[in-house]
C-alpha cells in the first residue's frame, strides 16, 4: 500500500471522502485524479526520453571529438 496505509486507514479515507463530496461527486473526483496522474506519467516519460536523447547526442559528440584528436 502506498504510504504504509493499511486497509482500515484506506476505508476511513473513503468514508471521509464520501461525507465531504457525496456519492454523486466521487466518480468525477476519481476520474479527475486518474486523468491527472496519467498526464503526469506521460510528461515524466517524455522528459526522461528527452534527457536520454540529449545524453546520447552529447556522448556521440564526445566520442567524435576523441577520434579527431
Amino acid at each position: 500500500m502506498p504510504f504504509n496505509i493499511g486497509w482500515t486507514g484506506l476505508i476511513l479515507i473513503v468514508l471521509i471522502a464520501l461525507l465531504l463530496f457525496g456519492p454523486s461527486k466521487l466518480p468525477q473526483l476519481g476520474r479527475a485524479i486518474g486523468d491527472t496522474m496519467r498526464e503526469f506519467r506521460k510528461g515524466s516519460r517524455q522528459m526522461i526520453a528527452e534527457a536520454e536523447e540529449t545524453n546520447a547526442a552529447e556522448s556521440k559528440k564526445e566520442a567524435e571529438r576523441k577520434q579527431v584528436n
Side-chain angles (χ1 to χ4, degrees):
M1 299 294 309
F3 308 111
N4 294 326
I5 298 175
W7 287 106
T8 54
L10 189 61
I11 291 171
L12 183 64
I13 291 170
V14 169
L15 287 175
I16 290 172
L18 264 171
L19 289 173
L20 289 175
F21 300 108
S24 63
K25 294 287 183 182
L26 279 184
Q28 295 172 354
L29 184 64
R31 195 173 303 116
I33 291 171
D35 290 343
T36 302
M37 292 187 69
R38 190 177 311 112
E39 288 295 320
F40 178 78
R41 282 191 215 130
K42 182 180 174 183
S44 297
R45 287 185 191 127
Q46 288 175 347
M47 286 179 60
I48 291 170
E50 289 173 4
E52 288 175 351
E53 289 174 5
T54 303
N55 288 340
E58 289 176 1
S59 296
K60 185 178 178 182
K61 287 180 183 178
E62 183 75 23
E64 289 174 355
R65 280 188 220 138
K66 288 182 180 180
Q67 287 179 353
V68 171
N69 293 331

